[in-house]
Amino acid sequence: MVDVSDGQASRREPSALAPVGGPLLSLALAALMEDVHAHSGAVYLLAPDEPVLEMAVMAGLPRAFAAPWERVGLSAPIPVAEAVRERRLVWVSGEEQMAGRYPRVAVVLPYSFALAALPLACADTVYGAVYVTWPDSHPPELSGHERDRLGGACDRLATRLARAVEKSHPVGPEPDLPAPGATAAMAGTLGSGEAVRMVARLPYGLCALDLHGRVGYANAAACELLGMPVGGLLGTQLWASLPWLNDPAYEDCYRAALISQHATSFVALRPPGDWLSFRLYPSTSGLSVRISRTRAVSAMARAEPPHGEATTRLVTISHVLSLAGALTEAVGVQDVVQLIASEFAPTVGSQALVLLGSRGGRLRVLGHRGYPDASIAERFDGEPLTAQIPGTHVLTSGVPAFFESRRQLEHLYPARRATPDGMAAWAFLPLIASGRPVGTCVLAYAEPHAFPADERAILTSLSGLIALALERALLYDAKHQLAHGLQAALLPHSLPSLPGIEAAARYLPATQGMEIGGDFYDLVSAVGVGRATAVIGDVQGHNVTAAGLMGQVRTAVRAYTTVGQAPGQVMRSTNRLLIDLGTELFASCVYLRLDPARQRVVMARAGHPPPLLRKPDGQVRVLDLAGGPLLGIDAFATYPTTEFALSPGSVLALYTDGLIESPGVDIEDALAELGERLAESGDEPLDELADRLVRHTATAEERLDDIALLLLRAQSS
């Protein structure tokens, strides 16, 4: 559910505001969290020169938990970005809502917690955003008190940010807030020395961890169970000190406990054969861990994971999960480019990117973002793969290249001096999928940028996910182009100019599958006799088979018309052809023989929706006249014909069922609505009328069926 703040708290008197200066963001965030009893939160500021939110301060949890979202593109589908885009409070009540509305966040943080995000904005200016979280024990709705407090605090902070801008004192990032102390709650309960002695006497292990997972205390039993002296544990993270605990599954329990504020547990094997049970009890200041022996829960021991820095790997896992969730939504190549620009580049601090591929032995620019002048990014398009430039070298060798400064790049590639792009550092990442290079992702940085080993590992790992998405996208685009090329070849490129008849047509493919289908239309002039033939039909299905059969049906109708068959006979001949072809697909069709000079029309119909006739006075009639069955069912079917008048100014609307069929809508109601629109707008120019009749369907996100529309208007002789 998305809620909108009512803004009541924003009417507080400006005199209540403290002067600008000091740790503005940290103090405001701490006060807000205390006011609404939130257990974590962060403040974002809008970057000055790009549509990106940058995390300025975080509280309550380690920043590593929010690593994928330290820099967030405004178009990203996450709560803080949505709060800024829509200028409203966004409320997510728990894990289920998060998974349904923001799956990319849920993939990285699949835990139970509630979240509220709000914009920091004054009048027409947005300065950033705030989010706060609660454990899932929070009620499913925000209270009125919480709404007022959240809205008021954000309004006051936005006003102070505006004041800072007016006084040319821009507010920047601040140190993250430390965890709240727990000693105050313990005052008067037990002396610290006696507490240590009591814990030392317990038969099971106890450890105290801070929010970052660092050990602040461990009793003797814990050291014995873990096989590590206390000096080797204090100040370190358990998974960093003990290789057999260096596993993402165990770190996930630690993250789950802190975010959900629920106790979690896991069982781990201490080599060679001791199984230990870990129970984590969280609070807003850290965790208490109880360690005890347990019986083996599996005959198979976990393989000992490699050594590594835990914090770095946590960031890596978060980035991988976030980008993987985003790339699953990419369909075409431009989707991949946009996702890299909005989800990946802001996270790693890149200001511009180019996605390169190859075709016919030459470099191809597949897409780019962040360059004010498109020619800067597109200048390498068409370069031979033998050219001595980093883009071709990385693409052909599969080896990444990192340049921390312009000097490094130009030292290895002197020709690069002639084509500056205004950037100061670059990462060239090979995109390898199915064992072959499919492209290169070039990330550009506005300032010199160091690429330490851990960052290079992250970028290289994430480039593998990008490569898989790009491979799928290239295949999709190729199929898409093939489908549209085939559809365009099978439909008329243009409608002929006929005496006494004005015509307009529209075709929209279904949005599911290959966006190709069996709907067709045609308009044929009978040379020398002053007559014309109009036909519209629908072959069952929306795939290549349906499109191929549609081409055969359309060609057959043209052929039978050319040899002079009457409308009913054309339908019978086409019906027999479909049966002789042995296809399992059926087709519907409406066939009209137009005689403008006599103002008459002869119609034959084969299971197709009835045309609409708008008379010059604006009245619309449904031509639900006699017809025969679908083509391709009965070899002996007959198709009766009906003749009716077509006076000048009348409009005939021929269409396929995709125009009037939609889930949950009665077809009679849809046909009546189409008739009303035709009646209201029938005097407009025919092309404008065609656009109006398909507009509500053209803008739909999903079309389950193809749509064809053919409009014919009788003109005076």
Side-chain angles (χ1 to χ4, degrees):
M1 184 175 105
V2 177
D3 291 327
V4 181
S5 175
D6 57 16
Q8 292 177 0
S10 65
R11 293 191 289 270
R12 297 176 185 268
E13 292 298 325
S15 59
L17 299 172
V20 174
L24 170 63
L25 305 180
S26 302
L27 293 176
L29 180 60
L32 173 60
M33 289 172 57
E34 182 178 359
D35 214 9
V36 297
H37 306 293
H39 90 287
S40 76
V43 178
Y44 286 83
L45 295 178
L46 193 61
D49 300 320
E50 52 184 334
V52 172
L53 291 168
E54 298 179 322
M55 185 180 289
V57 64
M58 186 171 180
L61 289 173
R63 185 174 282 236
F65 284 21
W69 309 292
E70 287 195 81
R71 284 173 52 87
V72 175
L74 287 184
S75 60
I78 70 171
V80 287
E82 183 174 309
V84 171
R85 289 195 306 270
E86 302 186 5
R87 299 285 292 270
R88 63 179 179 179
L89 183 153
V90 175
W91 167 245
V92 185
S93 65
E95 185 177 9
E96 184 176 345
Q97 269 198 12
M98 187 68 78
R101 292 170 47 200
Y102 307 103
R104 299 182 194 173
V105 178
V107 166
V108 181
L109 301 175
Y111 314 117
S112 298
F113 65 96
L115 178 144
L118 301 92
L120 296 173
C122 288
D124 297 328
T125 304
V126 177
Y127 299 98
V130 171
Y131 81 78
V132 290
T133 70
W134 297 263
D136 69 344
S137 56
H138 189 284
E141 301 291 342
L142 278 174
S143 67
H145 169 81
E146 289 170 328
R147 287 173 176 274
D148 291 344
R149 296 297 186 179
L150 288 169
C154 289
D155 288 342
R156 292 194 298 275
L157 179 54
T159 302
R160 297 185 67 184
L161 291 171
R163 181 186 299 174
V165 172
E166 291 173 1
K167 295 186 176 182
S168 300
H169 294 144
V171 177
E174 299 173 5
D176 289 347
L177 293 175
T183 55
M186 297 175 57
T189 60
L190 189 64
S192 59
E194 182 58 32
V196 171
R197 287 190 290 273
M198 181 192 74
V199 172
R201 293 191 292 266
L202 294 175
Y204 43 80
L206 284 176
C207 290
L209 310 182
D210 66 11
L211 292 178
H212 296 275
R214 295 185 292 255
V215 178
Y217 172 81
N219 66 358
C223 295
E224 179 183 354
L225 288 168
L226 297 175
M228 176 72 68
V230 67
L233 292 175
L234 292 180
T236 70
Q237 296 163 316
L238 288 178
W239 49 85
S241 300
L242 303 168
W244 48 275
L245 282 179
N246 194 353
D247 188 297
Y250 304 148
E251 296 171 18
D252 185 68
C253 291
Y254 146 76
R255 288 152 52 102
L258 282 183
I259 293 175
S260 68
Q261 290 292 292
H262 288 317
T264 62
S265 61
F266 62 88
V267 176
L269 174 67
R270 174 192 163 189
D274 292 332
W275 286 93
L276 301 180
S277 172
F278 294 78
R279 183 77 174 171
L280 285 66
Y281 299 91
S283 74
T284 56
S285 60
L287 303 99
S288 297
V289 183
R290 182 180 185 271
I291 309 170
S292 60
R293 296 185 187 275
T294 186
R295 292 186 302 175
V297 296
S298 173
M300 298 179 62
R302 293 179 181 268
E304 185 173 305
H307 292 270
E309 174 56 42
T311 301
T312 297
R313 196 186 63 229
L314 270 174
V315 173
T316 305
I317 292 170
S318 298
H319 281 87
V320 169
L321 290 173
S322 179
L323 186 62
L327 289 174
T328 57
E329 301 176 12
V331 178
V333 170
Q334 293 309 309
D335 293 336
V336 175
V337 174
Q338 183 58 41
L339 281 170
I340 297 173
S342 61
E343 302 286 333
F344 182 36
T347 301
V348 299
S350 169
Q351 282 73 47
L353 71 94
V354 181
L355 200 62
L356 302 173
S358 65
R359 186 171 64 249
R362 293 188 176 273
L363 203 63
R364 297 300 177 193
V365 176
L366 303 177
H368 56 84
R369 295 290 188 277
Y371 290 99
D373 184 355
S375 63
I376 293 176
E378 295 171 355
R379 66 191 183 281
F380 294 121
D381 193 73
E383 286 278 351
L385 295 183
T386 55
Q388 295 301 307
I389 55 177
T392 58
H393 183 259
V394 170
L395 180 63
T396 55
S397 68
V399 178
F402 301 91
F403 303 96
E404 299 181 356
S405 65
R406 180 184 297 276
R407 182 177 179 182
Q408 281 188 2
L409 178 61
E410 294 178 349
H411 175 71
L412 292 175
Y413 298 94
R416 185 65 171 65
R417 301 186 184 195
T419 55
D421 60 2
M423 296 296 167
W426 299 264
F428 288 80
L429 306 174
L431 305 179
I432 309 296
S434 304
R436 65 182 184 86
V438 296
T440 299
C441 179
V442 184
L443 299 173
Y445 298 77
E447 302 294 335
H449 183 88
F451 295 97
D454 58 346
E455 184 173 346
R456 296 187 183 206
I458 291 173
L459 293 174
T460 304
S461 299
L462 295 179
S463 68
L465 294 176
I466 296 172
L468 293 174
L470 179 60
E471 183 182 45
R472 293 195 307 269
L474 288 169
L475 181 60
Y476 172 84
D477 283 351
K479 290 182 176 179
H480 189 74
Q481 292 171 6
L482 173 64
H484 278 260
L486 176 60
Q487 190 82 59
L490 295 175
L491 291 173
H493 295 290
S494 61
L495 296 177
S497 178
L498 304 176
I501 295 291
E502 180 188 2
R506 296 292 183 269
Y507 173 80
L508 298 173
T511 57
Q512 298 182 353
M514 290 187 64
E515 298 191 14
I516 186 172
D519 288 15
F520 68 95
Y521 61 87
D522 207 351
L523 187 61
V524 184
S525 173
V527 180
V529 295
R531 293 198 300 264
T533 296
V535 62
I536 193 165
D538 182 1
V539 176
Q540 178 187 11
H542 351 90
N543 51 36
V544 173
T545 302
L549 186 60
M550 174 265 282
Q552 292 175 299
V553 171
R554 176 172 169 250
T555 301
V557 171
R558 264 188 172 255
Y560 297 137
T561 299
T562 303
V563 298
Q565 290 189 0
Q569 184 60 39
V570 170
M571 289 290 94
R572 289 195 294 273
S573 299
T574 307
N575 177 52
R576 285 196 297 270
L577 173 65
L578 255 64
I579 293 174
D580 291 342
L581 289 174
T583 177
E584 295 181 356
L585 300 180
F586 309 129
S588 65
C589 188
V590 167
Y591 183 96
L592 302 179
R593 179 157 292 174
L594 309 167
D595 191 342
R598 295 178 53 242
Q599 300 180 11
R600 306 297 293 176
V601 178
V602 178
M603 181 178 77
R605 187 158 66 101
H608 198 84
L612 298 179
L613 173 62
R614 183 188 187 274
K615 297 181 179 180
D617 60 4
Q619 293 185 1
V620 174
R621 172 189 173 195
V622 179
L623 298 178
D624 196 4
L625 306 174
L630 291 168
L631 303 174
I633 295 179
D634 181 3
F636 303 101
T638 59
Y639 297 89
T641 59
T642 305
E643 184 174 326
F644 57 90
L646 186 67
S647 55
S650 299
V651 177
L652 270 171
L654 314 180
Y655 56 91
T656 56
D657 53 11
L659 186 62
I660 58 172
E661 287 185 355
S662 57
V665 178
D666 184 81
I667 193 168
E668 296 295 335
D669 294 339
L671 185 58
E673 181 184 351
L674 178 63
E676 290 174 1
R677 281 185 279 137
L678 179 61
E680 294 171 358
S681 308
D683 293 327
E684 294 181 357
L686 216 54
D687 277 316
E688 294 181 15
L689 176 60
D691 289 336
R692 184 179 297 277
L693 294 182
V694 301
R695 183 172 299 149
H696 75 293
T697 311
T699 56
E701 292 186 3
E702 289 192 5
R703 287 190 299 274
L704 301 180
D705 201 358
D706 315 312
I707 295 171
L709 173 69
L710 178 61
L711 298 180
L712 305 169
R713 175 178 283 151
Q715 298 175 321
S716 301
S717 303

